[in-house]
Each structure stands twice: as C-alpha cells, then as structure tokens.
C-alpha cells in the first residue's frame, strides 16, 4: 500500500493541562490534582496524528520566538513530521489552557499568538499542498489562509478535509472547496445556524460529512445517499482533549490509502478512542498499531 501524503495547515500551541475532580464554574476556584505541559494545537496534533497513523506528513504553521516555540518544533519534528516549512514569528507562540475532570471532560481557552500571523502562503507552502494526497485544515488560524490552501488543493486534485473547529461561521467560498467535513454537534450548529438536527443537513454545505458524537460514536453521510452510524469503541477515558484530532487525522490517512469511506470512519473512531486513554494532547495521539488493535474489536 503506497504511503499517503498528508499536508496539515493549522495551529501549533503549547498546552498547559491541569486535572481536577470537577471543572470550575464561573468565579469558582477548584483544587487540582495533576499538571502537564505538552505540545498541542489542532494543526500540530493532526499532523503528529497523521504521521503516527502511517502517513508521510508535512505541517504548515507558525510558532513564536519564545521557548515554547523551540519545544514545539522539536516535538513535532521528533514525531516524524516534516517541519521544513514551519514559520517562526517574533513574539509568543500559541497557548492553550486546558482543564480536565475525572471523566475526561474538558474546558479549553486558546490564545493564538503566532498562529494569527499565518497568512499569505508562500510558493513553497502552496507547492507542498499541491503535491499532497490530502490537505487537512482547521479553524484556529485565519480562515483566509485555510481558503488559500484549499484553492491550491482543488487546483491539483488534492482532497480537502476540513475539521471546522473551533465552532464558527465558515464562508461559502471555503465550504465549496471542501471534500470532507468533520464536525461535532456544536460546530455543526454553528455552520447550519439551526441547532441540533439530522446529520444529513450538512450535505447542504458539502458532499461528505462526519458528525462526531463522542461516546455516542459518529454519523457518516454523503450525497450518494449513505447515512450510517459508527459506534464508539469503548475504552477507559482519561482525557478526551485530542480525540477529535486523532479522529480527523486517521480519517484523512485512511481515505488517502483508498479505504472505503465508511470503513475509514470506523478506523478513525478507533483512533479517537485510543487517544482518550492518556493525559495530554500530542503525547496521547496513537500509533498505527494501537489504532489497528482497537479497530479489530
């Protein structure tokens, strides 16, 4: 099987993760239990996840000139991701403040830092997109940059997978370029503007979509008439922070390898489940053998 070439354009953050029995309410201070500092950001997470899932992956993003940036580059590179096009911007790297409770639920505050500077893709960055089998993007960087990358992908026949997170409105210009949309219920509501509804509503926007539902699995729909529910794989959940990133990356890898799309969603569900068994974002992203083991269940 040829190795899938994936390019991820997106954010890189340093995640400051604290755990506590319960998540604090507004104005409340909660005594925590553990703390870890790990590289994250949806873009970097998905790049690392794609590489660990078996793809040849390049990451297009921006880090700051601070110590967080040095660590981010080193960790992403060590995971086997091509960071030759990773930009360095004077100032702070992106930072995410993550709080996790005992059942793996989380609250996340992200400050973009260098991620906001990722605009005006270079010729080399656009060439990397055109040479890929699949482009994966999210919405923690300027949407104009995502659109620019998607235009380049469409011109070269590169498939575009958009994880429309965090929840926000997405311009029609970008949605028209998307081959596969991956969203949770909150993100789906932000796109359709109509609250909770059937996953088929997403087909008004894109030709194929996956609606993820956490412990309740995921729905896959397409304009060929497929409407299928894929159950979640049961595991002991520690932290769900990067589960969606593992899912999206694995889906892109499996699709690029030529798997049937419904089977690709099942494999992605196994990747998402595997990711929840450890604390932290990038450190929890599963390797291919872990995904295969849960998929075989």
């Amino acid at each position: 099987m040829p190795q899938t070439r994936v390019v991820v354009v997106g954010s890189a953050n340093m995640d400051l993760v604290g755990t506590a029995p319960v998540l604090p309410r507004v104005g409340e201070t909660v005594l925590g239990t553990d703390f870890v500092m790990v590289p994250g950001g949806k873009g970097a997470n998905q790049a690392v996840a794609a590489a660990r899932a078996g793809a040849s992956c390049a990451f297009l993003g921006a880090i700051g000139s601070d110590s967080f940036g040095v660590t981010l580059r080193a960790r992403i590179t060590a995971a086997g991701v091509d960071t030759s096009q990773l930009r360095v911007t004077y100032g702070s790297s992106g930072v995410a403040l993550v709080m996790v409770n005992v059942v793996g639920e989380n609250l996340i505050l992200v400050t973009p830092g260098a991620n906001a500077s990722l605009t005006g893709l270079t010729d080399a960055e656009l060439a990397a997109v055109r040479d890929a089998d699949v482009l994966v993007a999210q919405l923690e960087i300027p949407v104009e940059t995502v659109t620019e990358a998607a235009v380049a992908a469409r011109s070269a026949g590169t498939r575009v997978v958009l994880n429309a997170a965090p929840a926000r409105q997405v311009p029609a210009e970008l949605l028209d370029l998307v081959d596969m949309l991956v969203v949770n219920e909150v993100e789906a509501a932000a796109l359709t503007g109509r609250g909770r509804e059937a996953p088929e509503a997403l087909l008004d926007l894109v030709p194929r979509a996956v609606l993820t539902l956490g412990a309740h699995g995921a729905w896959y729909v397409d304009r060929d008439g497929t409407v299928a529910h894929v159950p979640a794989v049961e595991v002991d959940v520690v932290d769900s922070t990067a589960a969606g990133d593992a899912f999206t990356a694995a889906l892109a890898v499996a699709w690029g390898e030529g798997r049937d799309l419904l089977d690709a969603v099942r494999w992605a569900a196994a990747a998402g489940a595997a990711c929840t068994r450890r604390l932290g974002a990038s450190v929890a992203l599963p390797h291919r053998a872990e995904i295969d083991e849960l998929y075989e269940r």
Side-chain angles (χ1 to χ4, degrees):
M1 180 185 299
Q3 190 177 34
T4 298
R5 296 168 300 169
V6 174
V7 167
V8 178
V9 57
S11 60
N13 299 322
M14 185 59 73
D15 290 354
L16 309 179
V17 185
T19 61
V22 296
L23 297 174
R25 296 168 295 183
V26 174
E28 180 184 20
T29 298
V30 171
L31 185 62
T33 53
D34 294 295
F35 173 78
V36 292
M37 186 173 70
V38 293
K42 297 194 71 65
N45 287 346
Q46 290 175 17
V48 171
R52 289 182 178 176
S56 170
C57 185
F59 178 51
L60 308 181
I63 54 176
S65 56
D66 54 5
S67 60
F68 285 166
V70 174
T71 302
L72 285 168
R73 179 187 290 277
R75 295 287 185 87
I76 298 168
T77 304
V81 176
D82 178 1
T83 57
S84 60
Q85 300 294 329
L86 183 58
R87 302 183 187 184
V88 178
T89 301
Y90 181 78
S92 173
S93 297
V95 174
L97 307 176
V98 184
M99 294 176 283
V100 184
N101 67 13
V102 291
V103 295
E105 297 170 328
N106 59 68
L107 293 175
I108 305 174
L109 170 66
V110 178
T111 58
N115 295 305
S117 72
L118 186 62
T119 58
L121 295 177
T122 66
D123 289 343
E125 291 167 336
L126 293 172
V129 171
R130 296 188 188 100
D131 288 341
D133 297 309
V134 184
L135 169 70
V136 178
Q138 328 75 33
L139 300 176
E140 287 184 339
I141 59 173
V143 70
E144 296 81 7
T145 304
V146 177
T147 302
E148 185 180 6
V151 168
R154 176 57 60 87
S155 72
T158 299
R159 293 167 175 168
V160 178
V161 175
L162 175 65
N163 177 207
R168 59 189 290 188
Q169 288 292 315
V170 178
E173 178 188 5
L174 174 54
L175 289 171
D176 288 344
L177 299 166
V178 172
D179 296 298
M180 174 78 75
L181 178 70
V182 181
V183 288
N184 63 23
E185 288 185 290
V186 174
E187 294 149 5
L191 287 176
T192 63
R194 293 179 290 199
R196 184 172 180 175
E197 57 188 301
E200 296 94 317
L202 295 168
L203 298 179
D204 293 338
L205 306 174
V206 293
R208 304 168 195 83
V210 177
L211 177 64
T212 60
L213 303 171
H216 299 291
W219 284 94
Y220 169 72
V221 295
D222 63 36
R223 289 178 180 168
D224 292 329
T226 305
V227 179
H229 179 257
V230 174
V233 181
E234 292 187 9
V235 294
D236 293 327
V237 175
V238 175
D239 180 7
S240 63
T241 300
D245 296 332
F247 181 101
T248 301
L251 178 62
V253 173
W255 193 16
E257 290 176 349
R259 292 192 189 218
D260 170 81
L261 269 172
L262 188 52
D263 186 58
V265 175
R266 293 190 183 102
W267 198 67
C275 184
T276 67
R277 297 186 292 188
R278 290 185 290 274
L279 180 65
S282 60
V283 294
L285 297 167
H287 292 268
R288 192 178 184 97
E290 298 175 76
I291 303 171
D292 286 340
E293 186 270 326
L294 284 182
Y295 170 78
E296 292 301 327
R297 292 187 186 180

